[in-house]
């Protein structure tokens, strides 16, 4: 089943203007309709929580209203419609978008992806013993470089029963497990995406059900640090990071947002194919990251001690 | 009891709003103060849901959109400004830790021994 990944995440909030400012400052492009786009057209959409066009809210206080999955083609949409119609109502909009609920009660939708293929340079580094990543006189540290999220990378849900949820995405939508935290849920990727994970879940009491965080891929670790540092400078609240995860290998930096959800920058995630054998580890600080840093104010050592010439 | 310390002026907090006070060495507020008329309630800036997690999403941005509750923007927990109790979200039923403050002559005062140890100002 050729599902690519999350195309768009829809929120209903009571902090509309603050949420819009956050998403702009995070680096997404405001299209003027409440939709904030990454470079490839994947997006986060925010609307006032009483907007009648929004899908219904969760029974909890989480602001997520809908996860829209992007698929490769009409054949995949037809396949999904046939599969999910077996045991639930699947609605079809005029533009062909399918909407229904998953087995955990989240509002989900499927459409032919709106993402465009990106053709952009990677972060280039110079590494002794390897061919230089950058040409002579090409500078690596550009503080004024743009730092725009490239594409919606992954989403993480709080769910009351991870087994029910994982089963739905694995058995019905043919997602593949890459790695697993014991008793918490697997890291999953759909068939048309080789990223380590686009979906992960954490088991919680039912009153917490919702989205825990969502993440966008950045060009590389340097751009991630630059984007995160700018957020800190603007006064935003760092939640976790910067650091580097173990499962997925992605660099991360999470920020609290006025939508009541963490928004992550990530970079340099592992790719996998059918030859990969899943790993399993208990969820713990040790297993959650290779290392963890926190941003500090800029500082530099000088030569002589203070007050001496 | 040691002499109280001035934390801010009352008029530096909008009525119904909140500000961050008592920064740590890295400039992060360790205390959140909410104003309701002439009364100020102050709370340790830590969410009971997970250690290390601070409330709000931006400097001095701590209230939900309706201005009725303090919000932990990480996972959306809402806290009543008057008693610090979480009324919805991950830590429902738990409470923020109170920092005792008084208002005298338009100045918000705290007891040094009651302020977070990591606060430097
Ligand atoms: Fe993540």
């Amino acid at each position: 089943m050729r599902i690519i990944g999350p195309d768009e995440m829809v929120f209903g909030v009571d902090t509309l203007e603050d949420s819009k400012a956050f998403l702009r400052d995070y680096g997404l492009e405001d299209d003027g309709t409440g939709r904030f786009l990454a470079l490839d057209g994947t997006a986060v959409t925010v609307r006032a929580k009483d907007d009648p066009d929004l899908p219904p809210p969760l029974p909890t206080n989480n602001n997520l209203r809908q996860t829209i999955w992007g698929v490769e083609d009409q054949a995949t949409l037809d396949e999904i419609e046939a599969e999910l119609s077996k045991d639930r109502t699947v609605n079809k909009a005029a533009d062909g978008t399918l909407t229904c609920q998953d087995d955990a009660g989240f509002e989900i939708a499927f459409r032919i992806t709106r993402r465009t293929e990106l053709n952009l340079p990677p972060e280039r580094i110079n590494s002794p013993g390897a061919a230089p990543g950058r040409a002579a006189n090409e500078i690596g540290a550009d503080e004024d470089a743009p730092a725009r999220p490239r594409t919606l990378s992954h989403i993480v849900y709080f769910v009351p029963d991870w087994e029910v949820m994982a089963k739905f995405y694995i058995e019905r939508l043919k997602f593949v497990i890459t790695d697993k935290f014991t008793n918490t849920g697997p890291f999953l990727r759909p068939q048309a995406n080789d990223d380590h994970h686009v979906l992960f879940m954490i088991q919680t009491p039912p009153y917490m059900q919702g989205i825990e965080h969502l993440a966008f891929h950045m060009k590389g670790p340097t751009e991630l640090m630059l984007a995160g540092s700018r957020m800190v400078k603007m006064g935003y609240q760092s939640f976790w990071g910067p650091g580097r995860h173990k499962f997925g290998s992605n660099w991360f930096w999470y920020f609290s947002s006025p939508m009541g959800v963490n928004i992550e920058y990530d970079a340099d995630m592992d790719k996998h194919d059918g030859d990969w054998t899943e790993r399993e580890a208990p969820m713990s600080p040790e297993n959650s990251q290779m290392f963890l840093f926190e941003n500090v104010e800029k500082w530099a050592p000088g030569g002589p001690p203070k007050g001496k010439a | 009891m040691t002499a109280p310390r001035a934390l801010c002026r009352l008029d530096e907090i909008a009525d119904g709003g909140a500000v961050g006070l008592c920064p740590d060495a890295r400039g992060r507020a360790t205390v959140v103060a909410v104003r309701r008329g002439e009364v100020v309630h102050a709370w340790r800036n830590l969410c009971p849901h997970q250690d290390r997690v601070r409330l709000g999403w931006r400097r001095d941005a701590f209230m939900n959109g309706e201005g009725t509750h303090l919000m932990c923007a990480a996972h959306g927990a809402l806290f009543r400004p008057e008693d610090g109790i979480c009324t919805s979200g991950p830590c429902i039923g738990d409470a923020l830790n109170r920092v005792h403050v008084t208002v005298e002559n338009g100045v918000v005062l705290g007891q040094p021994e009651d302020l977070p140890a990591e606060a430097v100002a």
Side-chain angles (χ1 to χ4, degrees):
Chain A
M1 220 175 250
R2 304 295 292 168
I3 298 170
I4 301 171
D7 243 30
E8 185 174 337
M9 304 300 293
V10 181
F11 290 85
V13 300
D14 72 349
T15 51
L16 189 60
E17 291 314 311
D18 288 321
S19 296
K20 288 179 172 179
F22 176 95
L23 294 167
R24 270 191 296 269
D25 289 340
Y26 174 84
L28 300 173
E29 188 192 325
D30 182 356
D31 82 348
T33 71
R35 188 176 281 125
F36 291 78
L37 303 158
L39 291 177
D40 74 342
T42 51
V44 171
T45 292
V46 280
R47 301 194 188 289
K49 68 178 187 184
D50 54 2
D51 188 317
D53 292 339
L54 283 172
L58 287 160
T60 63
N61 82 335
N62 196 267
N63 289 326
L64 177 68
R65 292 300 182 92
Q66 192 175 48
T67 301
I68 305 175
W69 295 93
V71 311
E72 269 184 6
D73 50 24
Q74 186 59 45
T76 306
L77 279 186
D78 295 343
E79 212 182 330
I80 292 168
E81 186 181 12
E83 173 60 32
L84 297 185
S85 296
K86 286 177 191 165
D87 61 352
R88 73 203 68 211
T89 308
V90 177
N91 296 303
K92 194 191 265 189
D95 70 354
T97 300
L98 306 174
T99 55
C100 63
Q101 282 196 353
D102 71 9
D103 283 354
F106 285 105
E107 293 287 334
I108 54 174
F110 302 88
R111 70 180 183 210
I112 295 174
T113 187
R114 289 194 191 156
R115 70 189 73 198
T116 52
E117 203 170 311
L118 297 176
N119 183 9
L120 296 167
E123 179 169 335
R124 298 188 198 280
I125 65 161
N126 294 325
S127 183
R134 295 191 306 279
N137 308 318
E138 199 185 324
I139 301 305
D142 176 5
E143 206 170 24
D144 300 320
R148 300 268 326 272
R150 291 189 168 190
T151 183
L152 187 49
S153 158
H154 62 269
I155 54 178
V156 174
Y157 293 121
F158 280 150
V159 283
D161 188 335
W162 72 264
E163 282 175 289
V164 166
M165 180 143 189
K167 199 167 167 217
F168 174 80
Y169 285 91
I170 294 166
E171 292 182 3
R172 310 295 297 278
L173 299 172
K174 309 299 174 199
F175 281 46
V176 181
I177 299 179
T178 46
D179 288 318
K180 221 183 222 170
F181 277 137
T182 311
N183 296 327
T184 267
F187 291 88
L188 296 170
R189 64 177 182 85
Q191 299 214 328
N193 196 323
D194 56 5
D195 274 356
H196 176 270
H197 59 282
V198 306
L199 175 61
F200 177 61
M201 57 208 74
I202 299 170
Q203 181 143 330
T204 63
Y207 63 82
M208 285 175 66
Q209 181 168 350
I211 184 164
E212 196 278 332
H213 78 265
L214 61 92
F216 283 85
H217 283 314
M218 304 301 286
K219 176 185 185 178
T222 303
E223 191 181 71
L224 175 148
M225 301 285 183
L226 187 60
S229 307
R230 286 176 181 164
M231 290 294 277
V232 171
K233 213 175 277 177
M234 285 185 274
Y236 286 107
Q237 179 66 61
S238 167
F239 171 75
W240 185 19
R244 191 167 199 181
H245 284 309
K246 285 186 178 170
F247 284 169
S249 300
N250 50 304
W251 293 78
F252 63 84
W253 199 343
Y254 299 72
F255 286 84
S256 303
S257 83
M259 287 106 82
V261 58
N262 289 307
I263 312 260
E264 178 191 359
Y265 292 113
D266 94 46
D268 193 14
M269 182 182 274
D270 292 331
K271 299 279 195 187
H272 292 286
D273 64 16
D275 292 338
W276 176 249
T277 308
E278 69 188 65
R279 300 168 292 181
E280 181 167 343
M283 191 156 134
S284 66
E286 183 49 41
N287 290 331
S288 291
Q289 57 228 308
M290 188 155 68
F291 37 69
L292 174 63
F293 302 107
E294 281 197 38
N295 181 79
V296 297
E297 224 179 297
K298 284 187 182 180
W299 176 87
K306 223 179 183 174
K308 299 196 176 155
Chain B
M1 217 151 87
T2 46
R5 186 194 293 171
L7 304 182
C8 70
R9 291 197 320 271
L10 181 65
D11 63 12
E12 288 172 298
I13 317 174
D15 195 1
V19 298
L21 298 173
C22 306
D24 66 12
R26 305 215 333 245
R28 300 174 305 186
T30 64
V31 172
V32 181
V34 206
R35 176 175 169 189
R36 286 283 187 265
E38 301 307 299
V39 179
V40 171
H41 299 281
W43 305 100
R44 292 289 296 267
N45 186 12
L46 283 174
C47 181
H49 173 207
Q50 291 168 336
D51 63 321
R52 290 200 198 184
V53 176
R54 287 172 287 272
L55 307 178
W57 66 89
R58 196 173 189 174
R59 197 174 295 122
D60 296 332
F62 294 106
M63 304 299 286
N64 65 335
E66 284 149 15
T68 55
H69 289 74
L70 288 160
M71 175 161 102
C72 178
H75 300 118
L78 297 176
F79 302 88
R80 279 199 302 248
E82 297 77 16
D83 58 13
I85 290 180
C86 175
T87 56
S88 111
C91 38
I92 191 161
D94 292 343
L96 300 171
N97 285 312
R98 187 182 284 279
V99 175
H100 295 279
V101 296
T102 54
V103 181
E104 278 172 43
N105 303 319
V107 177
V108 181
L109 301 170
Q111 281 305 126
E113 61 274 17
D114 188 40
L115 300 176
E118 63 276 20
V120 295

